[in-house]
Amino acid sequence: MIEWKEITKEAEWDTLFEASTEKPVVVLKHSTTCPVSANALQEYENYLKKQPNADVDYVLVKVIESRPVSNQIAEDTGVKHASPQILYVKNKETVWNTSHWAVTEAHISAVLS
């Protein structure tokens, strides 16, 4: 199992975004007050418990508690904010993103396999 890491500072995102040229990053934007987001987090964790792609960094951003980080991600990737939302960033480009009920273990597995 691979664990996700919560990022709370824009500098942490900047480092990951720059490093995505070496190691891609998957970001789950999570709202701690939303049932749809709670479901997305469960799907994300289910994916990480099975056979996750080990060549990727996995992070979580709580969109209410870390709004500046969430906004910076939207600005850097050009992907309009949604919550829950998952983004796969490689070479400083978003190669895949989806949101709401489309954040599923099956969907993540299909993209990252």
Side-chain angles (χ1 to χ4, degrees):
M1 177 177 167
I2 294 178
E3 301 276 336
W4 52 261
K5 175 186 177 242
E6 182 179 355
I7 58 172
T8 59
K9 296 178 176 60
E10 290 169 80
E12 292 173 304
W13 164 249
D14 290 342
T15 299
L16 285 165
F17 188 63
E18 290 300 321
S20 73
T21 57
E22 302 291 326
K23 187 173 187 182
V25 61
V26 171
V27 180
L28 179 68
K29 288 184 164 189
H30 173 61
S31 170
T32 53
T33 62
C34 171
V36 178
S37 198
N39 182 76
L41 177 58
Q42 188 63 55
E43 294 286 327
Y44 189 51
E45 290 181 335
N46 287 345
Y47 167 75
L48 292 173
K49 285 178 189 168
K50 299 208 173 134
Q51 297 288 326
N53 183 332
D55 298 324
V56 176
D57 281 326
Y58 296 92
V59 298
L60 178 130
V61 175
K62 292 179 180 168
V63 296
I64 296 169
E65 296 83 347
S66 301
R67 177 80 60 202
V69 180
S70 177
N71 291 343
Q72 188 65 49
I73 291 168
E75 188 175 312
D76 288 345
T77 62
V79 177
K80 187 174 185 288
H81 169 75
S83 175
Q85 181 179 56
I86 195 165
L87 302 98
Y88 178 40
V89 179
K90 187 175 186 177
N91 296 319
K92 300 203 287 191
E93 292 184 10
T94 305
V95 292
W96 171 72
N97 76 90
T98 194
S99 65
H100 298 88
W101 292 107
V103 180
T104 63
E105 178 187 344
H107 207 165
I108 298 166
S109 293
V111 170
L112 295 176
S113 61

